[in-house]
Amino acid sequence: ILELLRLDSEAESPLIIATERVRAVSEIHRITSNWVALQAASQTLLETGDLDWAVLTDFIDSVEKLSQAGAADGLSTYPAASAWLAQRHEAAAAASEGGKLADVHRSLLLARMQLAKRFSHADLVGILAEFAARHAAKPSCYADMLPYLAAVPAAARDTVLAAVATAPEREPHLDVLKAVTLARCRFYWAGGAAPPDDAARFRDQYAAALPLGAHLKPSEIQYADGYASLAAWADFHLYSSTSDVAHLYNAVELLSGAVEKSTHNHQLTLLLCKIYYLLGAGFAASPQFSRCDVKHIQLDSLGYIMLDHATPLAVYSDATNVLQSSMQLYEVGARETPEYVINAYRYGSFHKIDEFYRFEQKLTNSLHRAFCAVELGWLDTMLSAKTHAEALSTLPGLALPDLAALETMPDNRDVTVMDVLAPSAAPPSQRVPWIRFRCVALTALKALFASDLAAAFDAADQAVTTLMTGIEACPTA
């Protein structure tokens, strides 16, 4: 395969064909752990101007693996690899109309940050400060910097903050975006333990900056939205430390107005959902979740935002609709994947075949699919079976997941979809114990309605044990 895909220097192939060939070769090198060849292929692509993050990741991975193997030649050490990326950045900037469009190539700065983080190198602070000075006014700046903020030593944080604060901007709305980036970094490093008056200050700054976006369409994100998010998060952390629910009401009041002015800012909408669920207001949260228009494959990764709360909060109708849509997604995926594979063979896209197969397996074995199946079975039983006869006809047909396979099912939830404004450890997932509890409870009901009392008591005992084990593992869940 490598020989067939080999680039012929004498062939007059268009650059795009050559690039695709190198990418195919790179995939094979990664599968076979040929890090020397992978690095050479990624360098070739980067030198042609292909700054795709997958290519940069190939380069960074190859440097790390070669360094771990003790290789002495090539770009197998951090200084050599970082210097080479810096040269590529300078070349890309010079080629962009004399440097005017150098900001477009922020991916190279991000790659240098990632490389420094992998090697725990002190250069990270300087590169992060350079990135902040260049891109502080970009709405995505904080999200770009977030994976690296925790690695910055406390003594060096002022260097990064100063780079953000002194970044020159010519427009008032850009000053607002820069100030939001600065406030988010400070809030993150404060661990959410910001001064109590921060929430009120952020609300005032939001109101002051809102007129700058008066000309924007409702579908566009307001420049001041960052302040609304900061104010809501400050209220959330005040509630967490004081248990005063008034802080949550303040956040709801602010966010309810903010999402109407910026209808496509899903960060604000998701944050409003989070706070509504904390207040137990499931019926108020459901319309906000619907505004995010989560559909198709997103149901597998983002459906948990609603479904983890909807049934306990008795939002049965909306929960049933989302559960049924999710199960349709899995059925369609299983039905249509063979057709995709056949077409890939037919049109010669052989590299897509494995991708389709792995994608279908990821959906088929998804932990969220097991969760949806059990929750839908539970709701059907509780809401539809109103008589003994209906229960007898409903319960035997329930398809419950294999309990032994739950621990190995891939958890496809995207828990990073919401902005993180304070470092925190991810809470232990309670999905597996919850699914297990639902399964054994339904098993007990099936045995009970089948008049098998011994099996019903055994399953009920197992359900209680499962529930108590989950509570002991995470009392707050």
Side-chain angles (χ1 to χ4, degrees):
I1 295 174
L2 284 172
E3 182 62 26
L4 290 171
L5 291 171
R6 181 178 58 85
L7 281 173
D8 188 347
S9 59
E10 298 180 359
E12 297 180 358
S13 301
L15 178 59
I16 187 170
I17 297 178
T19 301
E20 288 302 316
R21 286 179 178 174
V22 176
R23 286 195 175 192
V25 169
S26 298
E27 183 68 19
I28 294 173
H29 290 325
R30 175 176 282 280
I31 292 171
T32 58
S33 300
N34 189 343
W35 304 112
V36 174
L38 179 64
Q39 185 177 90
S42 59
Q43 281 183 267
T44 299
L45 291 170
L46 292 171
E47 287 170 349
T48 62
D50 187 347
L51 302 180
D52 188 88
W53 186 249
V55 178
L56 289 164
T57 300
D58 282 344
F59 178 79
I60 295 169
D61 288 348
S62 64
V63 173
E64 184 179 31
K65 295 295 184 180
L66 290 172
S67 177
Q68 292 172 352
D73 54 348
L75 301 179
S76 59
T77 62
Y78 171 78
S82 182
W84 188 84
L85 284 175
Q87 291 172 0
R88 294 310 315 155
H89 187 264
E90 292 173 3
S96 300
E97 298 183 10
K100 293 181 181 179
L101 300 179
D103 286 352
V104 173
H105 304 291
R106 78 182 197 275
S107 57
L108 285 165
L109 271 176
L110 289 170
R112 290 172 60 195
M113 281 195 283
Q114 181 66 18
L115 189 66
K117 182 183 178 184
R118 295 267 191 104
F119 283 84
S120 302
H121 201 278
D123 280 357
L124 176 62
V125 175
I127 302 170
L128 191 60
E130 181 183 354
F131 182 87
R134 288 174 178 265
H135 307 291
K138 291 187 180 296
S140 63
C141 182
Y142 175 76
D144 288 337
M145 296 169 61
L146 182 59
Y148 312 101
L149 293 180
V152 177
R157 291 171 182 171
D158 286 342
T159 302
V160 179
L161 294 175
V164 177
T166 57
E169 301 301 343
R170 299 178 182 177
E171 301 290 339
H173 71 278
L174 296 180
D175 277 328
V176 169
L177 294 175
K178 182 184 74 174
V180 167
T181 300
L182 182 64
R184 282 174 167 173
C185 290
R186 284 176 172 160
F187 196 90
Y188 179 90
W189 279 325
D197 60 345
D198 262 10
R201 180 167 58 84
F202 289 140
R203 276 195 290 273
D204 291 341
Q205 289 173 320
Y206 171 73
L210 201 54
L212 292 174
H215 65 285
L216 297 176
K217 299 176 181 178
S219 59
E220 296 180 278
I221 294 177
Q222 292 285 328
Y223 305 126
D225 281 357
Y227 283 129
S229 175
L230 281 163
W233 276 109
D235 280 322
F236 170 76
H237 286 291
L238 284 172
Y239 163 75
S240 299
S241 60
T242 64
S243 298
D244 185 355
V245 76
H247 295 299
L248 294 183
Y249 290 131
N250 290 337
V252 167
E253 181 182 7
L254 175 65
L255 291 173
S256 296
V259 297
E260 293 302 325
K261 296 179 177 67
S262 192
T263 57
H264 282 57
N265 190 330
H266 298 315
Q267 288 295 332
L268 296 183
T269 305
L270 291 174
L271 185 53
L272 182 57
C273 282
K274 177 185 179 75
I275 295 174
Y276 272 140
Y277 286 132
L278 276 174
L279 290 169
F283 286 97
S286 288
Q288 300 301 327
F289 179 78
S290 298
R291 293 177 68 157
C292 293
D293 198 23
V294 175
K295 56 188 176 184
H296 304 313
I297 189 61
Q298 294 172 331
L299 289 168
D300 186 56
S301 57
L302 301 178
Y304 76 93
I305 295 172
M306 177 194 182
L307 295 177
D308 280 1
H309 306 278
T311 305
L313 294 177
V315 191
Y316 298 133
S317 178
D318 292 338
T320 300
N321 291 335
V322 175
L323 287 167
Q324 289 175 342
S325 298
S326 300
M327 294 307 295
Q328 288 175 3
L329 161 72
Y330 300 119
E331 293 168 5
V332 169
R335 184 172 64 249
E336 293 185 354
T337 297
E339 183 179 348
Y340 294 148
V341 172
I342 292 171
N343 286 331
Y345 269 113
R346 179 178 298 163
Y347 296 108
S349 300
F350 302 119
H351 64 288
K352 288 289 186 182
I353 294 171
D354 185 55
E355 182 180 332
F356 289 143
Y357 173 74
R358 283 183 286 140
F359 181 73
E360 190 272 334
Q361 287 296 300
K362 194 173 183 180
L363 283 181
T364 298
N365 300 316
S366 171
L367 185 64
H368 187 68
R369 179 177 187 172
F371 176 85
C372 289
V374 170
E375 285 295 292
L376 195 57
W378 181 268
L379 287 176
D380 282 344
T381 302
M382 295 296 106
L383 302 178
S384 301
K386 302 184 184 303
T387 65
H388 187 273
E390 289 177 351
L392 285 175
S393 63
T394 301
L395 286 168
L398 291 180
L400 301 178
D402 181 9
L403 295 182
L406 288 178
E407 299 290 349
T408 59
M409 289 181 177
D411 190 350
N412 301 329
R413 291 178 301 165
D414 183 358
V415 296
T416 64
V417 66
M418 290 184 65
D419 280 343
V420 178
L421 293 184
S424 60
S429 174
Q430 290 297 298
R431 284 220 143 184
V432 171
W434 183 253
I435 295 171
R436 197 182 300 277
F437 165 69
R438 286 290 209 212
C439 283
V440 292
L442 284 170
T443 301
L445 282 175
K446 290 171 72 172
L448 184 62
F449 277 92
S451 299
D452 189 347
L453 295 183
F457 279 120
D458 288 344
D461 184 62
Q462 188 181 356
V464 173
T465 302
T466 302
L467 185 61
M468 295 308 298
T469 302
I471 293 173
E472 291 169 2
C474 185
T476 60

